[in-house]
Amino acid sequence: MPNPPLKAVTLTHVRYQKGDRLGHFLAWVSLVPVFVSLGGFFTHFVFRRELHCMFFALGLIISQFINEIIKTSVQQARPETCALLEMCDSHGWPSSHSQYMFFFAVYFTLLTVEGIGLSQVKNKWAVNFCPWSLAVLTMFSRVYLGYHTVAQVFAGAALGIFLGACWFWVVNNVIYEYFPVIEESKFGRMFYVKDTSHIKNILKFEYDNARAARKNMADKAN
């Protein structure tokens, strides 16, 4: 009996032509969504547990589910280079990488503009330059490396921008009213889930409170 064909985990399985330095760089850029998810949101939940960030991450997950539903419905093939990349068994429209990064970029920008968590930042355009540049580079990388066509990455980008803006509106106009309820719930108390968006400068607030707590401990010890 012949052995069944092997399939790679596509989450981190990114190929580029040997000796192509730009392709090597773009292959790492193509993994940015993985770094954002595992390194960014997971770490933030462990150490911060902010409701705004948790719903930010939830929106990205919902966006990816929508992407899979559309891909399964449309079933548009990837470019011919998919054979070399061992990706012909999956669909290409819209690009999930582009959708993810542009959702992230637009949501992050709206958070910055509204001053949620970043009210103390003066040069907000400089802060927003990073996610948008990474989004564009990710979109370019998927075409350059042969995983998607130009139309597929632009479709992903457009859908990501639309869903990111819609989810931001839902969170801040509907779900936000229930933040105090979530904080006071059994789940919120157990995992110390909180909302600090009403604090103008959270970094200064935490810094001052940490210093005050240390001073109180020193006074009690003396």
Side-chain angles (χ1 to χ4, degrees), residues 5-15 85-87 89:
L6 300 177
K7 180 174 174 58
V9 177
T10 57
L11 185 66
T12 57
H13 188 69
V14 182
R15 290 187 171 187
L85 302 169
E86 299 178 352
M87 292 289 291
D89 59 342

Side-chain angles (χ1 to χ4, degrees), residues 13 103 156 187-188:
H13 188 69
F103 183 110
F187 170 81

Side-chain angles (χ1 to χ4, degrees), residues 128-176:
N128 289 317
F129 174 79
C130 183
W132 283 103
S133 60
L134 286 174
V136 172
L137 279 173
T138 300
M139 182 171 66
F140 175 70
S141 74
R142 302 306 286 176
V143 176
Y144 183 90
L145 296 172
Y147 286 91
H148 290 287
T149 64
V150 173
Q152 289 170 352
V153 295
F154 271 99
L159 186 57
I161 291 172
F162 173 75
L163 291 176
C166 289
W167 183 246
F168 183 86
W169 185 90
V170 170
V171 171
N172 288 275
N173 290 276
V174 180
I175 302 176
Y176 181 75

